[in-house]
Amino acid sequence: MSDPAGHSGSPTAASIAAERTRIRSRSSVLSAGEPMIWLTGGSLMLCLVMVVLLLGYIFKQGMMTFWPGPVTHIVTEDGRQYLGEIAREEEFDFTATAAWSMWTALEQRIQATADEKAKAELTAQRDTLLAKTVELLSPELDPALADLENDGAVDAFRIASSSIDAVHRSLSALELPSEAQPRQVRDNLTKLLALQTLFNRSPDQVDLDGAIGRLENAQQHLAAVQKSVELMFYIGGDRDFARVRHSRTAVKQLRDRLAAVQQVLQDRRARPEVRKALQQAGDRFLHVLNDLAGSTDPGVAHTAQNLRDAVRVRHRRRLLRTGNYRLSKTHFDWVADFEIATSAAPPWAMVVERREWGRFYGFPQSFTQKTRRPPSDEEHQLQSVQTFLARHGRLLKNEDARAIEAAKKQVQEKLQAVRSHRSQDFLAKVKSDDAPVQRALLEGGQAVPFDRVGADQNVIGALRISEGRAQAWEQWTRHHPVVQTLFDREYVLRRSEIGRVNHDQEQSRLSVRQLELDTDVNLLETAMQVLTLQEQINALDRQMEQAAQAVEYARTHFQADAKTASLASRLLVRFRQANAGNRNDRVRQIGQLEAELKARLGDEAEDGMTVLQSFWRTQQRTAEQTREINEQIEALDRQQARYEIEMEAIGNGPNRNRATKTTLALADIVRAYPANRFSRGEKWNVYVARWGEFLADDPREANSEGGVFPAIVGTVVMTLILAMVVVPFGALAALYLREYAKAGPIVSVIRIAINNLAGVPSIVFGVFGMIFFCYMVGSFIDGGPRAASIPVLPKMWWFGILIGAAVAELLGVIAAYANRGGGKHDNQSTPWLLNAALAVPLMAVWIAAAGIWLRWIAGAESVVGVAVPLMVLGMAGVFFWMLYSSTFCEKNDPRSFFSRLVYMVGLATAIATVAVVIFLVATTPFFDGFYEARLVDGNPTFGKGALIWASLTLALLTLPVVIVATEEALSAVPNSMREGSYACGASKWQTIQRIVLPRAMPGIMTGMILAMARGAGEVAPLMLVGAVKLAPKLPVSWNPPFGVDRSFMHLGFHIYDVGFQSPNSEAAKPMVFTTTFLLIGIVAVLNVTAIALRTRLRRKFVASQF
Amino acid sequence: MSQTGIDTPNGAEGESRLEAIVRGEQVQTEVHEAIRHEQIILDVKDFNLWYGDKQALFDNNLRVSRGKVTALIGPSGCGKSTLLRSVNRINDLIDNVRITGDMILSGQTIYDPSVDVIELRKRMGMVFQKPNPFPMSIYENVVYALRIDGERNRALLDETCERALRGAALWDEVKDRLHDSALGMSGGQQQRLCIARAIAAEPDVLLMDEPCSALDPIATGKIEDLIAELRGEYTILIVTHNMQQASRSSDYTVFMYLGRLVEYGPTSDLFERPHLRDTEDYITGRFG
């Protein structure tokens, strides 16, 4: 069965199998690529871990910010008190230096105290503190001393020795001039060289005193040498200046090195003495160390100073947010663990978030509610009679002064009687309430118990005081929401109502400015004078009316005393005469001013006066409106001011040991809560409310508190405008590159340039945006070419170029028409010339349309002069283009020299026309800007940082992203689909419109998502083009230009500002994380929306084919 | 030569024409007599085509019969698809394509400069190798050609859609989901949809470029049945690699080799009694 020969000659089956196994096992690792699984998986893991860590950290920190932490009350060993929230804890190096400064601080306080008892207390505290610090630090003393032995003497010797060599070498090479006294230099050098014998020994074996002496001598020699070298350096000597400079450096270096050696040796000499002193010092080693540090022996002093920092221990300390800035002049304070005597969480400790001055920590003492006595009509009338008499009594100077005095007195008495009567009624009514403590508020402002109010005293109000912590808190919870509602109402009045009135006022003022610019006459100042006079007349009329009322009242109520009544009547007659005189004066002045204005306006008086009349009407109306709103605001203020809470703050004053009572108005408080008493649920309420405030409110306290609503609006609006601008432009550009442009060097260069654009640092875009958009385009829109510092063409020239361009375009199009068919032969792709012929007129039409639109929103007349000619130019182009394209299909040979020539000429004409249109717009003599009046007022509208410029700058920045993404998407559309469409008889544009674009839409959306994410997160360029720390208004508005001209807040910039520009950086720190968290959240929301949209599109258009 | 060829027994011709073609010599097409009696719809005249410097078609002369199915067979790279794609000038989309000669469709020249390519393509339908439904609904796919003509009459569109889908034997399968995405159909259905799209505009000529190469046998069977139904109604020019398919579904067959037309005749004759040994070799699988 088996063949022995075969066995011996060929390998057995078993050995073959073994060989195979061996080969397989060897190759498996290399060829199967097992390690790659680990490598790739590991990379992914690492990336994920880092991303998750980052997000997790931001999430944790961001979510923590608003959680109401407990309030801690800390009393230190030396009697300081702290009440506040613990911001963070950390370990730090507690050194003997720090311990000593604490000691001296206490010592100074003891010296400063006059009171014996306090002195004794402080001394006791000082001793406790000393004992604590010594206990902490003394174990560290011996290691620190041992550490000093490693003083690096050997190295210092070696380095100094080589430095001497260097000096010697470099000086020997110099040609020393006679002024440098070469002989002395050489002598000194020899002496320095002798030092090397010292340095060659081990530092442990040198005689310290002798060596120090020698070093001092050597320093003197070296000083002499240095003097010579300096002389050469400044007056010259050696021909080679570089060598002199080199020697000078070497000498200076040697001086430092010798000093270092000297220091080391001195320290060595001093060390036994220091050690001995410290060992004897025991508990007082801090003092001894301090004495030694002040020693005259430089070695001792140096060693002791080193020791003071070297004796250190790791210790914990905590940062307390103590608030109460006005009392303690600080927001935060460090407290080390060893200082703490007691630490507690007092149940009634309250956190008060104020609108200004940061947080307040304290204990509620009492709650006060003021009630004003409503003034009666009678009282009011009497008061006005009194005022009338007092103010205008002197008009009857010639008559009986006594009569007036008597009348005054009579009115006064009557008033007093009415008041005390009313006061008693009021008190009786208030008394029936069941408040625990009540006080009457007298006219002078003092508060007295009810029973001490005299019968004839004028009570203007009553106070209800709830004393005690629980009661104060209870009252607080009841009244604070009311005050908050009032505050919100006032806020609306202050922001939107006043804003609206101000806008009207501003507009009417600008209309006069515009009139000034149109007529070249000064008007505004005089118009304002008229306004002032008019207001004075109104005031006089009002006075007159009041006086008449008062006198009427007096006449009816003082019938018993006919004398007073008649006096008042006579006074009124006099007053009326005087008033009429004043009034007539002013009416006459107004007449003069108006005549003057008319004269100045000359021919345009009629129209001009209409504008001025409307200006005066609007100003008077808005002034009236402002007065009304202010009255409402004052009323709201008064209502809010009724409530006050009294708090006790502890740990104030320079020694942080004083308790102070402070009254806080409820209107100034955003939120207050006794953190330690709160249950988890109540804390959640605070937490949620704080998030609500963060998302919906304006910032306060230099952005470190309050909300970021304006920043959210700014970010979102900016990103949306950015997307609206960049997506169409980017997508169209990519469409041209991918679908129309013929592949070639120009397209490659353009593509490379676009990719490079993506790599340009964003700040460069910021600079470009600032210079181009803000200063050029923006200024141009504001005030025309002059404002943008562009030289203006003379009118004849401008028209000349315009007509020239029109003729050139005409000729170009005619040439193209004559050569119709120039370009590619298949009309699948639209030829260049057709594009140009289409693009140029379209551009002109766009510009003209934009101009007319702007003219509508901004109301500038001058733009018509620009828009109309350009519009005509554009329309002519469109007409010729239509003619051209309708006959395009008939063609001749595109390869002939003539058709190429015409093609190039047409292309050149097209490009030139674009340039000319831009040039004509830029240098137009007919355009003075849309916002010239505001510009003259010193308020540029678009010629500064603005939301629209920020969006455009970022659009430019993100353009490559969109172009690249769109190109990818377009090239991912299978060619078979295009061919299928063509085979159905579709034209190129129909194919693109119906097949390619829908299919590529998800990819374009991806580009948009990437662009939005990039744009929303960009900060650096925004700083230059409109992002600000605090924007007074949101960048959205109903009035043209719809707020896009405003500077705005942005979350990214807000993070930078809060984190690095805040005066209270410690308090702002948590806000950095919260804002970051929010920014990430907003970008995520924008992206998820876009991704959802994309997924829908993708499901519709790009489902798998098989 | 062709006249003598009619009676020549299979493979009687001494020298192989294919070798002559490989050598680059001019070779005349062996045209069977039967074709001369047919009515011509498409006449290819001295057609040459270059991709850049490389010539892909050499002096092609072909008279395609009206209302018949003509199959183009030949080894890979012999220019079948190129010839087919030249008929509706889809090749124009490729840069560097250059042609001489002309084609005449129903007496109208195709390659004249004054021809509107778009109008031309509207007279032909084309079915591609891989199904290429558009990213839109089944309905919109079918009426695409009408849509791009700006047809808005709903009734007409509906009618066309149904007619085309019935014509492509797809109506019963999709009539309930006309407005679903076409991309969700099976491969065979997609290909029939493409045929429906091609016949929706009632073209003069239907060009099919290996319509079954990406399909399984069952789907292939359905398409072949469909071709059989369309026969007579449309003139069909079909490129195929599948000899059985060619023999089953076509009336005439053209054998091509290296850009040249070698033999052209009624399918039954070509498959059973080819004039040339080369053709027989190819059909019986001895080479290619």
Side-chain angles (χ1 to χ4, degrees):
Chain A
M1 217 171 134
S2 61
D3 178 9
H7 264 277
S8 58
S10 62
T12 61
S15 73
I16 292 172
E19 178 68 7
R20 281 210 184 128
T21 319
R22 200 175 62 75
I23 292 170
R24 198 177 300 138
S25 68
R26 190 179 54 199
S27 62
S28 63
V29 174
L30 298 171
S31 57
E34 285 296 328
M36 285 315 289
I37 297 175
W38 292 97
L39 208 61
T40 50
S43 305
L44 175 67
M45 195 63 166
L46 210 63
C47 298
L48 282 183
V49 164
M50 286 195 289
V51 169
V52 166
L53 275 181
L54 172 75
L55 289 182
Y57 184 65
I58 289 171
F59 181 78
K60 178 181 166 266
Q61 297 284 351
M63 296 303 274
M64 286 288 290
T65 307
F66 296 132
W67 184 255
V71 180
T72 314
H73 179 205
I74 288 174
V75 182
T76 61
E77 298 281 357
D78 58 348
R80 283 171 291 156
Q81 297 200 33
Y82 297 92
L83 183 70
E85 288 172 90
I86 294 172
R88 62 194 150 94
E89 291 182 48
E90 64 171 31
E91 287 207 325
F92 76 114
D93 281 330
F94 180 58
T95 61
T97 318
W100 180 250
S101 70
M102 285 170 71
W103 159 271
T104 41
L106 260 179
E107 196 65 34
Q108 279 166 8
R109 279 171 61 194
I110 294 170
Q111 298 301 330
T113 315
D115 182 10
E116 282 306 315
K117 201 176 147 199
K119 206 170 234 178
E121 255 178 42
L122 279 175
T123 315
Q125 280 169 13
R126 181 196 63 190
D127 293 343
T128 350
L129 185 71
L130 187 68
K132 283 248 174 185
T133 49
V134 168
E135 191 190 328
L136 263 177
L137 290 175
S138 49
E140 308 299 322
L141 187 58
D142 284 336
L145 271 171
D147 223 30
L148 283 184
E149 303 288 337
N150 307 322
D151 54 8
V154 180
D155 284 343
F157 272 27
R158 192 173 45 74
I159 293 171
S161 176
S162 67
S163 195
I164 289 174
D165 280 341
V167 167
H168 187 250
R169 261 200 316 276
S170 73
L171 279 178
S172 313
L174 285 185
E175 293 170 27
L176 295 166
S178 57
E179 304 97 306
Q181 297 176 316
R183 225 170 116 184
Q184 283 183 14
V185 170
R186 239 160 260 137
D187 286 352
N188 284 329
L189 272 181
T190 325
K191 282 173 190 150
L192 278 175
L193 275 175
L195 262 186
Q196 286 188 318
T197 56
L198 171 68
F199 290 156
N200 287 339
R201 263 180 275 159
S202 160
D204 293 331
Q205 288 158 4
V206 296
D207 164 29
L208 288 174
D209 286 330
I212 290 169
R214 282 181 67 186
L215 273 171
E216 270 164 11
N217 284 336
Q219 287 280 28
Q220 283 166 14
H221 299 314
L222 191 57
V225 172
Q226 194 177 13
K227 212 182 260 172
S228 303
V229 177
E230 290 290 332
L231 196 70
M232 284 180 70
F233 185 76
Y234 288 114
I235 66 169
D238 195 271
R239 274 191 297 273
D240 187 353
F241 180 71
R243 284 201 303 209
V244 179
R245 197 171 53 195
H246 180 250
S247 301
R248 182 170 173 253
T249 320
V251 169
K252 274 185 179 167
Q253 221 171 34
L254 181 58
R255 275 198 85 155
D256 294 345
R257 283 170 179 174
L258 288 185
V261 172
Q262 202 173 354
Q263 187 72 62
V264 167
L265 293 179
Q266 278 170 352
D267 286 2
R268 285 189 162 229
R269 189 173 59 178
R271 219 174 286 146
E273 189 188 328
V274 171
R275 184 178 289 127
K276 200 168 139 208
L278 284 174
Q279 274 158 359
Q280 284 169 355
D283 283 355
R284 293 185 54 78
F285 87 90
L286 277 179
H287 294 77
V288 173
L289 211 46
N290 183 51
D291 291 345
L292 291 173
S295 164
T296 48
D297 182 342
V300 174
H302 187 250
T303 310
Q305 278 159 11
N306 275 351
L307 264 177
R308 281 216 294 199
D309 287 332
V311 178
R312 62 172 70 188
V313 63
R314 296 292 285 177
H315 199 73
R316 288 199 75 74
R317 63 177 177 182
R318 50 192 77 172
L319 184 65
L320 273 171
R321 181 173 197 174
T322 54
N324 306 11
Y325 185 76
R326 278 212 277 191
L327 299 172
S328 60
K329 303 288 171 234
T330 170
H331 292 288
F332 288 84
D333 231 328
W334 285 106
V335 183
D337 273 5
F338 70 85
E339 290 179 278
I340 297 174
T342 61
S343 169
W348 278 113
M350 293 244 293
V351 181
V352 181
E353 288 175 40
R354 296 183 288 183
R355 295 198 196 281
E356 280 170 347
W357 299 105
R359 291 204 182 165
F360 189 91
Y361 295 91
F363 299 95
Q365 289 294 107
S366 65
F367 188 92
T368 309
Q369 184 185 352
K370 279 185 215 161
T371 315
R372 275 165 56 89
R373 176 169 68 80
S376 70
D377 187 45
E378 198 180 8
E379 218 178 320
H380 182 73
Q381 296 285 9
L382 279 170
Q383 215 159 2
S384 60
V385 173
Q386 193 180 24
T387 324
F388 177 62
L389 287 176
R391 199 178 287 167
H392 306 295
R394 63 191 150 75
L395 287 175
L396 291 176
K397 208 183 276 171
N398 301 338
E399 317 230 351
D400 194 357
R402 278 230 305 279
I404 291 175
E405 283 308 314
K408 275 189 191 169
K409 204 173 160 200
Q410 196 183 15
V411 173
Q412 175 66 25
E413 276 166 9
K414 184 133 187 172
L415 185 61
Q416 217 155 30
V418 169
R419 273 181 175 159
S420 60
H421 176 66
R422 286 258 159 197
S423 298
Q424 292 304 323
D425 281 359
F426 173 70
L427 288 182
K429 209 178 96 201
V430 170
K431 226 179 268 182
S432 59
D433 288 1
D434 53 350
V437 183
Q438 297 205 337
R439 293 274 186 281
L441 200 59
L442 297 184
E443 209 173 350
Q446 71 267 45
V448 294
F450 282 3
D451 46 8
R452 274 206 239 136
V453 177
D456 56 346
Q457 268 173 319
N458 180 17
V459 177
I460 59 167
L463 303 180
R464 293 177 51 189
I465 302 167
S466 311
E467 284 184 333
R469 296 183 170 172
Q471 287 81 354
W473 168 243
E474 200 260 322
Q475 292 292 321
W476 156 270
T477 50
R478 188 182 303 165
H479 292 295
H480 186 249
V482 178
V483 175
Q484 202 69 359
T485 318
L486 294 172
F487 182 86
D488 289 347
R489 210 179 299 159
E490 186 184 330
Y491 178 86
V492 171
L493 283 176
R494 274 186 199 280
R495 290 305 280 274
S496 52
E497 298 287 307
I498 293 262
R500 200 167 42 76
V501 174
N502 281 351
H503 179 258
D504 291 352
Q505 208 167 6
E506 174 77 2
Q507 285 304 316
S508 82
R509 215 171 57 80
L510 288 176
S511 69
V512 178
R513 268 269 187 256
Q514 190 62 51
L515 185 65
E516 277 185 341
L517 290 166
D518 291 346
T519 55
D520 223 6
V521 180
N522 251 347
L523 299 169
L524 193 56
E525 213 170 300
T526 319
M528 292 303 276
Q529 280 173 15
V530 172
L531 206 59
T532 317
L533 289 170
Q534 192 63 51
E535 264 164 27
Q536 285 172 356
I537 290 173
N538 289 348
L540 285 175
D541 287 353
R542 266 200 302 279
Q543 269 182 18
M544 198 60 231
E545 201 180 321
Q546 281 169 5
Q549 269 179 18
V551 170
E552 183 58 36
Y553 180 84
R555 218 182 276 155
T556 48
H557 285 77
F558 291 92
Q559 277 169 345
D561 189 350
K563 204 170 171 193
T564 307
S566 74
L567 189 70
S569 302
R570 266 187 291 145
L571 192 53
L572 182 65
V573 174
R574 275 299 172 80
F575 177 54
R576 193 168 276 153
Q577 286 166 357
N579 219 351
N582 279 339
R583 196 176 188 282
N584 287 340
D585 275 357
R586 291 185 167 83
V587 171
R588 201 169 50 248
Q589 279 180 35
I590 288 179
Q592 282 169 1
L593 288 174
E594 282 184 3
E596 195 183 322
L597 283 170
K598 254 183 214 161
R600 275 194 223 163
L601 280 165
D603 295 344
E604 312 190 26
E606 202 173 315
D607 293 346
M609 287 315 282
T610 325
V611 173
L612 285 174
Q613 295 291 354
S614 118
F615 166 70
W616 289 322
R617 268 200 307 279
T618 315
Q619 292 292 327
Q620 285 191 29
R621 178 172 57 80
T622 51
E624 187 57 38
Q625 282 170 340
T626 312
R627 202 160 32 237
E628 276 169 21
I629 294 169
N630 279 336
E631 267 168 26
Q632 288 178 39
I633 289 174
E634 270 167 33
L636 286 170
D637 268 346
R638 270 201 303 278
Q639 285 189 56
Q640 290 174 58
R642 286 177 62 201
Y643 305 97
E644 282 172 358
I645 189 164
E646 193 183 36
M647 304 285 294
E648 184 186 23
I650 57 174
N652 306 312
N655 298 336
R656 280 206 168 274
N657 57 359
R658 215 175 286 157
T660 319
K661 284 188 178 165
T662 307
T663 305
L664 304 176
L666 251 62
D668 296 338
I669 299 174
V670 181
R671 184 182 296 110
Y673 55 91
N676 299 338
R677 284 179 64 83
F678 263 18
S679 67
R680 189 157 278 272
E682 287 166 315
K683 282 185 180 174
W684 267 106
N685 285 342
V686 172
Y687 182 73
V688 171
R690 277 182 174 168
W691 263 108
E693 186 196 359
F694 180 69
L695 294 177
D697 275 8
D698 286 349
R700 51 192 164 80
E701 304 275 353
N703 294 354
S704 68
E705 298 267 348
V708 291
F709 180 67
I712 296 176
V713 172
T715 310
V716 170
V717 173
M718 187 203 76
T719 312
L720 290 182
I721 296 181
L722 150 77
M724 283 192 300
V725 173
V726 76
V727 172
F729 273 88
L732 287 177
L735 197 63
Y736 187 87
L737 276 180
R738 178 60 61 182
E739 299 290 329
Y740 291 102
K742 209 174 151 191
I746 297 177
V747 170
S748 301
V749 166
I750 289 175
R751 212 166 263 150
I752 290 168
I754 288 168
N755 282 323
N756 279 346
L757 203 63
V760 173
S762 58
I763 191 75
V764 175
F765 285 95
V767 173
F768 173 80
M770 183 178 72
I771 293 171
F772 181 71
F773 288 132
C774 302
Y775 292 160
M776 286 181 66
V777 181
S779 301
F780 186 87
I781 293 174
D782 278 354
R786 285 177 204 85
S789 320
I790 300 170
V792 178
L793 280 181
K795 287 184 187 182
M796 288 304 288
W797 276 87
W798 194 85
F799 271 117
I801 295 176
L802 180 73
I803 291 163
V807 169
E809 190 185 351
L810 188 68
L811 289 178
V813 178
I814 288 173
Y817 176 71
N819 187 48
R820 58 198 177 276
K824 227 181 147 188
H825 69 276
D826 66 56
N827 89 344
Q828 296 289 341
S829 81
T830 325
W832 264 95
L833 205 56
L834 196 61
N835 291 330
L838 177 64
V840 174
L842 273 188
M843 212 177 107
V845 172
W846 278 346
I847 294 172
I852 285 168
W853 180 71
L854 282 168
R855 186 239 168 295
W856 167 63
I857 61 163
E861 303 282 342
S862 51
V863 73
V864 177
V866 186
V868 170
L870 287 175
M871 192 107 172
V872 170
L873 184 65
M875 286 302 185
V878 169
F879 173 72
F880 280 114
W881 173 71
M882 281 158 68
L883 191 68
Y884 172 60
S885 62
S886 66
T887 48
F888 181 73
C889 292
E890 301 161 42
K891 60 169 189 175
N892 53 26
D893 183 12
R895 281 164 220 275
S896 75
F897 172 76
F898 179 69
S899 84
R900 285 183 187 199
L901 182 72
V902 171
Y903 177 70
M904 292 313 291
V905 169
L907 184 63
T909 316
I911 293 171
T913 316
V914 175
V916 166
V917 167
I918 293 173
F919 176 75
L920 284 180
V921 170
T923 58
T924 173
F926 300 101
F927 180 56
D928 287 327
F930 297 114
Y931 300 98
E932 201 190 2
R934 288 181 68 178
L935 188 67
V936 171
D937 251 17
N939 282 325
T941 309
F942 280 101
K944 61 174 174 46
L947 180 76
I948 185 75
W949 301 143
S951 290
L952 289 186
T953 306
L954 289 189
L956 211 60
L957 177 83
T958 50
L959 196 62
V961 178
V962 176
I963 292 182
V964 169
T966 308
E967 273 213 75
E968 293 290 328
L970 291 175
S971 58
V973 176
N975 242 338
S976 67
M977 275 193 192
R978 291 194 183 88
E979 285 182 349
S981 172
Y982 290 132
C984 285
S987 69
K988 178 135 193 158
W989 170 240
Q990 282 170 328
T991 303
I992 289 173
Q993 176 201 4
R994 288 165 188 265
I995 309 289
V996 177
L997 273 186
R999 173 65 203 243
M1001 203 43 93
I1004 298 175
M1005 294 292 290
T1006 306
M1008 185 176 98
I1009 293 165
L1010 290 173
M1012 276 164 62
R1014 170 107 200 260
E1018 198 61 69
V1019 178
L1022 296 183
M1023 293 178 179
L1024 303 178
V1025 290
V1028 289
K1029 183 187 177 71
L1030 194 66
K1033 286 177 179 171
L1034 290 181
V1036 279
S1037 155
W1038 290 115
N1039 301 318
F1042 309 111
V1044 294
D1045 61 317
R1046 292 179 190 162
S1047 51
F1048 62 104
M1049 289 178 73
H1050 180 268
L1051 281 173
F1053 183 71
H1054 193 80
I1055 292 169
Y1056 167 74
D1057 177 65
V1058 168
F1060 303 100
Q1061 309 282 301
S1062 175
N1064 186 4
S1065 62
E1066 196 64 56
K1069 207 177 277 177
M1071 293 294 268
V1072 173
F1073 288 107
T1074 321
T1075 316
T1076 311
F1077 179 61
L1078 181 69
L1079 180 58
I1080 292 176
I1082 287 180
V1083 172
V1085 166
L1086 288 177
N1087 281 359
V1088 165
T1089 317
I1091 287 171
L1093 207 62
R1094 180 178 67 180
T1095 315
R1096 265 191 54 191
L1097 287 175
R1098 188 173 278 167
R1099 209 174 297 135
K1100 201 164 154 198
F1101 295 122
V1102 204
S1104 81
Q1105 290 209 41
F1106 292 101
Chain B
M1 182 185 252
S2 57
Q3 268 160 345
T4 54
I6 294 172
D7 298 313
T8 318
N10 294 349
E13 200 91 6
E15 212 205 326
S16 163
R17 292 195 192 185
L18 302 191
E19 281 167 23
I21 291 173
V22 171
R23 284 196 303 273
E25 292 168 14
Q26 284 282 352
V27 174
Q28 192 151 16
T29 310
E30 180 73 24
V31 182
H32 292 214
E33 185 58 29
I35 290 153
R36 299 188 188 276
H37 310 301
E38 290 284 351
Q39 197 185 355
I40 303 301
I41 185 162
L42 177 71
D43 190 1
V44 179
K45 284 181 174 171
D46 297 324
F47 195 77
N48 287 288
L49 184 143
W50 290 263
Y51 290 119
D53 294 334
K54 190 175 164 288
Q55 189 166 8
L57 296 177
F58 296 83
D59 296 322
N60 289 353
N61 281 295
L62 182 67
R63 293 149 71 87
V64 179
S65 313
R66 184 184 294 276
K68 302 285 186 208
V69 179
T70 306
L72 294 169
I73 60 170
S76 296
C78 70
K80 308 182 294 289
S81 295
T82 303
L83 182 60
L84 193 76
R85 288 161 63 89
S86 299
V87 176
N88 68 347
R89 288 181 63 176
I90 281 282
N91 272 339
D92 287 6
L93 298 176
I94 302 166
D95 288 337
N96 294 330
V97 166
R98 193 158 54 81
I99 58 124
T100 61
D102 203 353
M103 297 186 183
I104 292 161
L105 180 70
S106 308
Q108 199 180 344
T109 170
I110 290 178
Y111 276 95
D112 191 80
S114 66
V115 166
D116 184 348
V117 184
I118 287 167
E119 287 307 315
L120 176 77
R121 287 188 190 135
K122 282 177 184 163
R123 290 163 57 194
M124 303 185 214
M126 186 159 185
V127 179
F128 292 81
Q129 199 166 354
K130 261 166 68 176
N132 57 350
F134 300 144
M136 44 181 81
S137 69
I138 294 171
Y139 181 89
E140 288 297 327
N141 257 287
V142 177
V143 301
Y144 184 77
L146 277 74
R147 283 268 190 231
I148 56 178
D149 272 348
E151 183 59 60
R152 279 166 196 282
N153 184 343
R154 189 82 204 171
L156 180 67
L157 291 176
D158 286 347
E159 192 216 307
T160 309
C161 177
E162 184 174 345
R163 183 180 49 72
L165 283 174
R166 281 193 194 282
L170 196 58
W171 175 253
D172 293 331
E173 286 167 64
V174 299
K175 65 180 176 211
D176 298 327
R177 52 187 181 107
L178 284 178
H179 296 282
D180 288 3
S181 170
L183 301 174
M185 305 165 86
S186 77
Q189 285 177 325
Q190 286 188 355
Q191 192 64 303
R192 274 182 284 152
L193 178 70
C194 292
I195 294 175
R197 190 173 69 196
I199 62 177
E202 304 194 328
D204 297 349
V205 179
L206 198 54
L207 307 169
M208 292 183 155
D209 189 357
E210 299 184 44
C212 302
S213 67
L215 303 181
D216 65 68
I218 295 170
T220 305
K222 284 186 181 170
I223 303 276
E224 280 179 23
D225 292 347
L226 183 57
I227 293 172
E229 275 173 38
L230 296 175
R231 169 187 286 179
E233 205 174 330
Y234 297 98
T235 306
I236 297 177
L237 201 55
I238 180 169
V239 167
T240 179
H241 270 296
N242 186 330
M243 294 305 127
Q244 277 74 30
Q245 194 175 59
S247 68
R248 274 195 303 267
S249 37
S250 66
D251 299 313
Y252 294 98
T253 301
V254 182
F255 171 49
M256 288 183 73
Y257 188 70
L258 291 185
R260 290 170 176 87
L261 307 180
V262 180
E263 185 167 353
Y264 177 30
T267 303
S268 52
D269 284 359
L270 202 87
F271 275 82
E272 284 158 26
R273 297 182 302 280
H275 292 183
L276 303 180
R277 176 179 288 280
D278 304 320
T279 313
E280 190 186 1
D281 284 351
Y282 179 72
I283 288 167
T284 51
R286 256 169 268 165
F287 94 95

